[in-house]
Amino acid sequence: EGLVSGELDADTYTVSSEGIKKEIANKTHFFKQKNNATGIEKSALQADKKNTEVLSSKQIRAIETVLNTLNTHLGKPQDIEFAFSDKELFMLQTRPITALGSEKGEYTLWDNSNIIESYPGVTTPLTFSFIIKMYEAVYRQFVGLLGLKEAEIEQHKEIFANTLGLVRGRVYYNLLNWYKMLAMVPGYSLNAEFMENMMGVKERFELKEDFRMKKGLARLRIFGMLFKMINLQRKLPSERRKFMAHLDSVMKEYNAIDFSKLSAKLLVEKYLNFEQTLLKKWKAPLINDFFAMIWFGTLQKLTVKYKISTNKNIHNDLLCGSQDIISVQPIHRTMAIASAIKKVEGAEIFFTKNDAHAIVEGLKSGKLPEINQLIENYIADFGERCIGELKLETISYSQDRQIFIKLIQTYLKQNITAKKINKEVDSKLRNNAQQEVELALKGKLIKRKLFNYVLEKTRTHVSNRENLRYERTRGFGMVRKIFSALGKKLAEEGKIMNARDIFMLKKEEIFELVKSENKFDAEQLISERKAEFLAYENAEIPAERFYTYGNDFSDAYIFSQEKIEDYGNKLQGIGCCPGRVKAKVRVVKNPQELDSLNGDILVTSSTDPGWVTLFPTASAIIVERGSLLSHSAIVSREMGIPCIVSVSGLLRSLSTGDEVVMDGSTGEITILEKE
């Protein structure tokens, strides 16, 4: 009665991915039944109970479990009334939460398990407006390659146009539309499972039957699709070669352009021409990604079906030691530069005693020409391979050499030049796994031939998947250069206050601004966006997986599906590279803040290829997000560094300084002590 009438204050408990937030009311009175009379009366509360919590954390989690069950069973978030009696939870009433605004849009599931690798943290409006069009164009092209007719693609154009969402500045997959897209081609169940493995999606989302292809039509079309897939697989090597030749040609042409000398209109024209290469000529990477997903999933299934090993991750071990993945080259090249500096008289002192600006200026003036040439060669090859490399707002090594110089200084200070990448671990894992396969399939000629064929295809496509991601980095790097030049030009013309303000505008808004000075109030919009995205930087991060009705991302309309559990001292993920390590952890949210890992275990939410130069400083790697085909998994296997990915509750459970034992084979993590 006291709460309903508003006369008394209540405790408030908010459960989120960050844990349980408690707002404990100052309680002065309570209502009780009148002595020997009908009705209730207000009474003073005992002093020692005024700031006592009404519910324990265990009781809150019990309520959360009930809510999750109800939401799943009834299909809508519920407003419940409950009571505890003798520590037992009783549900008194449940009803759908009112004012949810379900009429605002379709039930939509959002997930950033995998895409957070490419777009960590807050992403600007320019980057999102660019990538959402990229995704739309390439996946329209993709389903077309698998046999979907243009009329059908156009009929579902809204699906392709909305495969992503920008949720409080962070990029998420719109899983509803991804599953719908898969349902357009035959073999939905198998494709969905393989996609989930590739994207690191932890829980299946069941698409309504009324959207999935009718079984009769699916059977009819699957033969046509199989024929197309066989043809695509056969042509893929030549398609990759043609793609590389074309991209190299375009990149050579664009690298020769001095963008600072072009007008704003000409820069837009250059961008639009380059965009066609990214949108229309991306056939080979698309096909390779699809087959990497299919072959990897098939390999995983065969290891189980043929009972190859008791090791659940043997399919990972079989992929170790490829020695052809370009993502590890930046490590080798950076180590080589650091080694060369140590060999040149006075060079190490120059690099360790000066700041990055002084080093860059010294190299420009002719100091240490051999070292400068090594650095310039690195920038030419990997200048865009940096932290957040697919975000256009990122300042790359090509744009600011001081960032790369600081990295070299870190290698020198930590003597990483002396650390060898343990290729023996990689080779041993692969050889041992291969021996288990031979033993399990001994005397089974047909099964062995099939298994080895699938293994060969998986190795090829997984390696090429990682290598083709580098080509995407090159392409995005060129887009970054064009828009950065355009920002400077618009600032010179007085259309924006600062060159980097361009990243607060959407692509279409920029084009409009270039065309007209009068119809666009850029200054006011940029100011509003800066405040909005700064708030996103400082706000609580949305859950890894949640649902909404439509695209309203305010607090009232985001419903998390993440289970807030007390994991105790045991965590479980997916083992990606074997090795048992006992060490303290270092939680890293932004690698640019980091000076040294010094053999600590790297613990983070996700990584992208820009993190790879930090890997040699870690004794092991544990990542909250990701999948068996994510960047962390592939590169750690290649380098022989123990690694676990997809660990629920990782960042809630561990803090810098905690000591753990991690097992890269089983994916088990045991917390030994907390400081």
Side-chain angles (χ1 to χ4, degrees):
E1 176 62 25
L3 297 180
V4 173
S5 66
E7 192 169 345
L8 300 182
D9 293 330
D11 290 354
T12 301
Y13 303 94
T14 305
V15 183
S16 72
S17 58
E18 300 295 315
I20 300 173
K21 179 182 174 184
K22 302 178 180 181
E23 298 173 37
I24 308 304
N26 181 28
K27 308 168 193 69
T28 58
H29 293 81
F30 73 106
F31 281 90
K32 68 174 185 176
Q33 189 171 350
K34 290 180 181 178
N35 292 329
N36 303 317
T38 302
I40 58 174
E41 62 183 359
K42 187 176 179 181
S43 298
L45 192 65
Q46 294 166 271
D48 61 344
K49 291 186 176 181
K50 287 186 177 181
N51 294 302
T52 302
E53 295 179 23
V54 173
L55 297 174
S56 67
S57 295
K58 186 176 181 180
Q59 288 174 320
I60 293 168
R61 291 201 170 94
I63 297 165
E64 187 205 8
T65 300
V66 168
L67 286 170
N68 284 328
T69 303
L70 289 169
N71 292 353
T72 301
H73 183 71
L74 300 175
K76 291 182 179 179
Q78 298 293 302
D79 180 351
I80 72 169
E81 293 182 9
F82 62 90
F84 280 94
S85 177
D86 294 329
K87 298 183 180 180
E88 186 177 359
L89 173 60
F90 290 84
M91 192 172 69
L92 309 177
Q93 176 176 287
T94 187
R95 57 178 176 264
I97 296 177
T98 56
L100 272 185
S102 58
E103 72 282 353
K104 289 186 177 181
E106 188 176 17
Y107 171 93
T108 305
L109 189 63
W110 304 91
D111 190 295
N112 73 345
S113 304
N114 178 267
I115 201 167
I116 193 173
E117 280 197 337
S118 300
Y119 303 99
V122 169
T123 297
T124 62
L126 175 55
T127 293
F128 186 73
S129 67
F130 167 66
I131 63 173
I132 196 168
K133 292 296 182 184
M134 282 284 296
Y135 270 75
E136 177 182 8
V138 298
Y139 282 100
R140 284 178 67 117
Q141 187 180 356
F142 172 66
V143 295
L145 289 171
L146 293 181
L148 208 65
K149 294 182 170 33
E150 184 58 38
E152 292 176 281
I153 296 172
E154 188 61 25
Q155 180 186 348
H156 298 298
K157 61 183 179 182
E158 289 301 315
I159 293 172
F160 296 98
N162 294 284
T163 54
L164 304 177
L166 194 63
V167 181
R168 299 182 185 179
R170 290 171 166 82
V171 181
Y172 277 74
Y173 285 127
N174 179 335
L175 278 190
L176 176 66
N177 281 349
W178 277 86
Y179 281 103
K180 283 182 176 180
M181 197 161 56
L182 282 178
M184 294 178 195
V185 295
Y188 168 77
S189 296
L190 193 61
N191 288 334
E193 182 182 346
F194 289 166
M195 182 199 75
E196 287 156 359
N197 281 335
M198 185 178 74
M199 292 170 64
V201 174
K202 296 174 184 174
E203 190 176 338
R204 168 66 61 92
F205 166 63
E206 293 298 341
L207 195 63
K208 290 181 180 177
E209 287 289 336
D210 57 3
F211 193 88
R212 291 162 65 166
M213 189 181 295
K214 298 293 183 286
K215 290 181 179 178
L217 181 60
R219 289 193 192 98
L220 187 65
R221 286 192 172 182
I222 199 162
F223 295 107
M225 193 185 84
L226 285 172
F227 176 78
K228 286 182 177 291
M229 286 176 65
I230 292 168
N231 198 37
L232 288 171
Q233 177 73 76
R234 183 176 59 83
K235 291 182 177 179
L236 184 54
S238 64
E239 288 291 344
R240 275 197 298 259
R241 289 191 293 271
K242 283 194 287 185
F243 166 75
M244 290 297 298
H246 175 73
L247 185 62
D248 284 342
S249 171
V250 174
M251 291 296 291
K252 185 177 180 181
E253 175 193 343
Y254 271 70
N255 278 323
I257 299 172
D258 185 348
F259 293 122
S260 66
K261 294 182 179 178
L262 301 184
S263 67
K265 288 184 179 178
L266 206 50
L267 283 167
V268 170
E269 185 181 312
K270 289 293 182 186
Y271 164 75
L272 292 173
N273 288 336
F274 187 77
E275 186 185 69
Q276 293 309 301
T277 295
L278 294 177
L279 298 184
K280 304 295 185 186
K281 306 291 184 180
W282 219 251
K283 182 178 177 182
L286 267 177
I287 298 169
N288 188 87
D289 268 11
F290 177 70
F291 282 116
M293 178 182 81
I294 296 296
W295 288 117
F296 183 84
T298 304
L299 177 68
Q300 193 172 13
K301 282 185 173 294
L302 284 183
T303 59
V304 176
K305 183 178 179 180
Y306 292 168
K307 299 178 181 177
I308 300 296
S309 173
T310 55
N311 174 12
K312 293 180 181 179
N313 289 320
I314 191 170
H315 53 291
N316 280 337
D317 297 353
L318 287 164
L319 300 180
C320 286
S322 298
Q323 300 184 15
D324 60 353
I325 294 180
I326 201 169
S327 291
V328 299
Q329 286 190 29
I331 288 181
H332 297 299
R333 293 274 292 273
T334 307
M335 289 172 67
I337 292 171
S339 297
I341 290 170
K342 282 183 172 287
K343 292 175 184 175
V344 176
E345 186 178 352
E348 186 172 4
I349 293 174
F350 175 68
F351 270 83
T352 54
K353 299 298 182 183
N354 290 296
D355 64 22
H357 175 74
I359 293 169
V360 169
E361 292 303 313
L363 294 173
K364 273 185 187 176
S365 66
K367 192 173 182 65
L368 301 172
E370 306 95 335
I371 303 299
N372 186 47
Q373 189 58 55
L374 289 174
I375 291 171
E376 288 303 310
N377 290 344
Y378 182 98
I379 297 294
D381 292 338
F382 298 110
E384 301 303 323
R385 178 127 280 189
C386 53
I387 310 297
E389 61 187 22
L390 298 184
K391 297 165 70 170
L392 302 183
E393 62 271 18
T394 295
I395 299 174
S396 67
Y397 299 152
S398 296
Q399 294 173 302
D400 187 355
R401 279 158 174 71
Q402 291 185 51
I403 303 172
F404 184 59
I405 295 298
K406 289 175 182 176
L407 182 65
I408 294 173
Q409 288 177 312
T410 299
Y411 270 49
L412 289 169
K413 288 173 185 175
Q414 297 180 41
N415 199 30
I416 294 175
T417 54
K419 181 166 183 171
K420 304 296 182 184
I421 293 173
N422 192 349
K423 279 292 177 186
E424 290 183 9
V425 172
D426 221 18
S427 301
K428 188 176 179 182
L429 287 170
R430 184 176 178 131
N431 292 336
N432 288 346
Q434 198 77 53
Q435 287 174 17
E436 285 197 69
V437 171
E438 294 301 320
L439 186 63
L441 299 180
K442 188 176 181 180
K444 302 172 183 176
L445 182 63
I446 295 175
K447 286 183 178 179
R448 188 171 74 246
K449 281 192 172 183
L450 174 61
F451 188 89
N452 287 334
Y453 178 78
V454 172
L455 176 58
E456 179 195 352
K457 291 295 182 184
T458 306
R459 283 172 173 166
T460 299
H461 288 89
V462 168
S463 290
N464 282 322
R465 178 177 184 263
E466 192 70 8
N467 294 339
L468 289 169
R469 287 180 72 176
Y470 168 66
E471 304 308 324
R472 180 180 60 176
T473 297
R474 292 173 66 202
F476 277 45
M478 186 57 68
V479 174
R480 178 186 293 116
K481 289 178 182 177
I482 295 172
F483 276 109
S484 294
L486 188 52
K488 290 177 182 176
K489 193 64 63 177
L490 291 174
E492 288 171 9
E493 295 175 4
K495 293 184 178 180
I496 58 178
M497 294 288 290
N498 184 288
R500 290 193 60 78
D501 286 349
I502 194 170
F503 299 107
M504 284 293 117
L505 297 173
K506 297 175 184 176
K507 192 176 60 165
E508 299 75 18
E509 294 167 345
I510 293 168
F511 297 160
E512 186 65 28
L513 185 61
V514 170
K515 284 192 281 185
S516 172
E517 295 182 31
N518 304 318
K519 295 181 180 178
F520 201 90
D521 186 2
E523 188 175 342
Q524 181 181 344
L525 181 59
I526 289 168
S527 178
E528 290 171 356
R529 291 251 177 90
K530 280 183 174 179
E532 179 185 3
F533 279 74
L534 179 61
Y536 293 150
E537 290 273 10
N538 297 323
E540 185 178 304
I541 299 172
E544 175 183 345
R545 186 183 178 98
F546 64 88
Y547 62 93
T548 62
Y549 292 96
N551 290 350
D552 189 334
F553 300 125
S554 54
D555 280 340
Y557 299 105
I558 285 186
F559 306 103
S560 173
Q561 286 206 324
E562 187 174 4
K563 307 298 185 290
I564 310 301
E565 299 177 32
D566 184 358
Y567 295 96
N569 70 334
K570 295 284 186 182
L571 297 171
Q572 182 67 51
I574 299 172
C576 295
C577 185
R580 189 175 175 84
V581 176
K582 177 183 177 182
K584 289 185 177 181
V585 306
R586 178 77 64 90
V587 177
V588 182
K589 295 187 178 178
N590 181 354
Q592 292 169 332
E593 305 167 355
L594 191 68
D595 285 331
S596 171
L597 279 168
N598 291 326
D600 287 346
I601 296 173
L602 172 62
V603 169
T604 190
S605 175
S606 66
T607 70
D608 64 22
W611 285 66
V612 76
T613 45
L614 293 177
F615 284 13
T617 71
S619 58
I621 300 162
I622 307 176
V623 184
E624 187 169 50
R625 309 291 179 86
S627 68
L628 292 168
L629 288 183
S630 64
H631 171 263
S632 308
I634 290 172
V635 177
S636 66
R637 286 196 298 268
E638 181 70 10
M639 296 175 64
I641 299 175
C643 178
I644 301 173
V645 301
S646 192
V647 185
S648 296
L650 178 66
L651 296 187
R652 287 201 307 274
S653 303
L654 288 178
S655 303
T656 294
D658 291 348
E659 190 172 20
V660 305
V661 174
M662 66 84 73
D663 190 326
S665 295
T666 63
E668 294 174 358
I669 303 160
T670 303
I671 305 170
L672 298 180
E673 61 180 74
K674 286 182 175 287
E675 292 189 352

